[in-house]
């Protein structure tokens, strides 16, 4: 009896083993699908950005930045400046030694070198708000070798990026000058016009006059009262009317935008009663080689 039970047990085990061997093995669960990676959205739109300060500071300078974005990243962000007297830009004057911040002011490096170091910091950070200032003037300890105040630069970059790409202006960068062919027979003055172009835009314009007798310019003599048009009933001193006329060109970017009468006067500029024909004619002449 025991032998029969043992035999039956062996047969049962064999049957179970054969059944297990013939059954389909359980499949391992499929790994969860990983969502396809999408490229990170570009932080900035590609293009050329530009911003400048609204006016000239007491030291006679105003700053501007030209930012280029490629593939969503800031590729360059040039910091430059223009003087109220127009002429060469600040980078040019610093590079050729005219500005002379080291020789004249004892700075540790020239302005254009410190500006370049500031630009490099921005290119690394890619964000004009990632800068800490140590005082109200906008100096920082975050950029090695930079002792100048940099708040103007980062503020302008932020302003330019917020405004969006604007491209470059219609003129070639540089300093341009034109002056009258001869001295006026009655007044003895001869007009001069100096312009500064940065990123294709006129950023500074200086209308002045030189006397046949030499000495200080017309603007200087108007500002200190030696050349006083208001005595004869003029609306404002000559230098103030000249400044208002310059501002119109900076706004329009086109010396042909103002309509003049036969005397070279216009009603298009508030507070200006003097003849402005010389200014716009000479500005056009100066820009003839800038196209």
């Amino acid at each position: 009896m025991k032998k029969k039970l043992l035999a039956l047990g062996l047969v049962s085990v064999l049957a179970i083993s054969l059944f297990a061997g013939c059954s389909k093995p359980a499949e391992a669960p499929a790994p969860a699908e990983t969502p396809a990676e999408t490229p990170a959205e570009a932080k900035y739109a590609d293009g050329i950005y530009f911003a400048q300060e609204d006016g000239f500071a007491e030291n006679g300078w105003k700053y501007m930045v030209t930012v280029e974005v490629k593939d969503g990243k800031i590729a360059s962000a040039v910091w430059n400046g223009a003087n109220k007297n127009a002429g060469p830009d600040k980078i040019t004057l610093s590079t050729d030694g005219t500005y002379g911040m080291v020789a004249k002011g004892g700075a540790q490096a020239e302005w254009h070198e410190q500006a370049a170091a500031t630009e490099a910091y921005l290119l690394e950070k890619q964000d004009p708000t990632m800068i800490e200032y140590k005082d109200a003037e906008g100096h920082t300890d975050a950029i090695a070798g930079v002792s100048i105040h940099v708040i103007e630069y980062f503020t302008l970059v932020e302003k330019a990026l917020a405004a969006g790409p604007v491209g470059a202006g219609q003129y070639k960068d540089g300093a341009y000058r034109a002056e009258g062919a001869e001295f006026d027979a009655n007044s003895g003055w001869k007009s001069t016009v100096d312009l500064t172009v940065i990123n294709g835009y006129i950023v500074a314009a200086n209308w002045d006059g030189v006397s046949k007798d030499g000495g200080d310019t017309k603007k200087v003599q108007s500002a200190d009262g030696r050349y006083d048009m208001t005595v004869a009933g003029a609306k404002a001193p000559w230098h103030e009317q000249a400044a208002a006329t310059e501002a119109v060109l900076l706004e329009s970017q086109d010396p042909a935008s103002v309509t003049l009468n036969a005397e070279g006067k216009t009603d298009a500029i508030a507070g200006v009663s003097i003849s402005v024909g010389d200014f716009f004619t000479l500005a056009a002449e100066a820009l003839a080689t800038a196209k």
Side-chain angles (χ1 to χ4, degrees):
M1 183 67 178
K2 290 182 178 180
K3 289 182 179 180
K4 288 183 178 180
L5 291 174
L6 179 60
L8 288 172
L10 290 173
V11 170
S12 299
V13 170
L14 180 60
I16 293 171
S17 300
L18 289 173
F19 178 79
C22 294
S23 63
K24 186 177 181 180
E27 295 183 358
E33 291 187 5
T34 303
E37 294 185 2
T38 57
E41 183 179 353
K43 188 169 185 178
Y44 309 110
D46 286 5
I48 301 294
Y49 299 72
F50 183 74
Q52 61 181 311
E53 291 179 309
D54 293 332
F56 296 94
E58 290 184 4
N59 64 6
W61 290 97
K62 77 171 175 180
Y63 288 116
M64 59 282 307
V65 295
T66 304
V67 181
E68 182 174 12
V69 174
K70 293 181 178 179
D71 300 324
K73 294 184 178 181
I74 301 172
S76 66
V78 179
W79 184 12
N80 208 341
N83 193 271
K84 66 179 181 179
N85 295 322
D89 59 79
K90 196 166 189 177
I91 290 178
T92 298
L93 293 176
S94 178
T95 303
D96 68 16
T98 302
Y99 191 67
M101 206 165 70
V102 173
K104 300 174 184 177
Q108 56 186 319
E110 298 294 354
W111 186 87
H112 69 282
E113 295 171 332
Q114 297 195 44
T118 306
E119 294 164 7
Y121 177 89
L122 175 66
L123 296 188
E124 178 187 350
K125 299 298 183 181
Q126 291 290 307
D127 186 343
T129 65
M130 292 183 65
I131 182 71
E132 292 186 4
Y133 305 110
K134 65 179 182 180
D135 55 32
E137 288 75 30
H139 295 92
T140 184
D141 290 328
I143 310 173
V146 174
S147 59
I148 59 176
H149 42 85
V150 298
I151 189 170
E152 298 92 342
Y153 174 72
F154 291 101
T155 300
L156 284 171
V157 171
E158 191 173 358
K159 177 181 176 181
L161 292 173
V166 296
Q170 60 181 311
Y171 305 107
K172 293 186 294 185
D173 287 6
Y176 300 91
R177 178 181 174 84
E179 63 179 60
E182 55 188 20
F183 294 98
D184 184 270
N186 297 317
S187 68
W189 291 105
K190 178 169 66 173
S191 288
T192 64
V193 170
D194 289 277
L195 306 172
T196 306
V197 175
I198 294 176
N199 189 40
Y201 297 102
I202 306 169
V203 294
N206 181 35
W207 180 20
D208 211 338
V210 292
S211 173
K212 64 181 179 60
D213 298 322
D216 291 329
T217 67
K218 196 172 187 178
K219 262 188 178 174
V220 171
Q221 293 193 36
S222 175
D224 66 17
R226 282 177 289 164
Y227 181 73
D228 190 358
M229 289 174 44
T230 60
V231 174
K235 294 181 178 180
W238 186 87
H239 67 283
E240 293 181 4
Q241 297 196 46
T245 306
E246 295 162 359
V248 168
L249 177 62
L250 297 186
E251 177 68 26
S252 70
Q253 294 289 305
D254 183 2
S257 64
V258 175
T259 301
L260 307 173
N261 63 20
E263 296 177 332
K265 296 185 177 183
T266 182
D267 293 327
I269 309 175
V272 174
S273 59
I274 60 175
S275 173
V276 296
D278 275 0
F279 172 71
F280 290 107
T281 298
L282 290 175
E285 182 181 321
L287 292 169
T289 60
K291 293 296 183 71

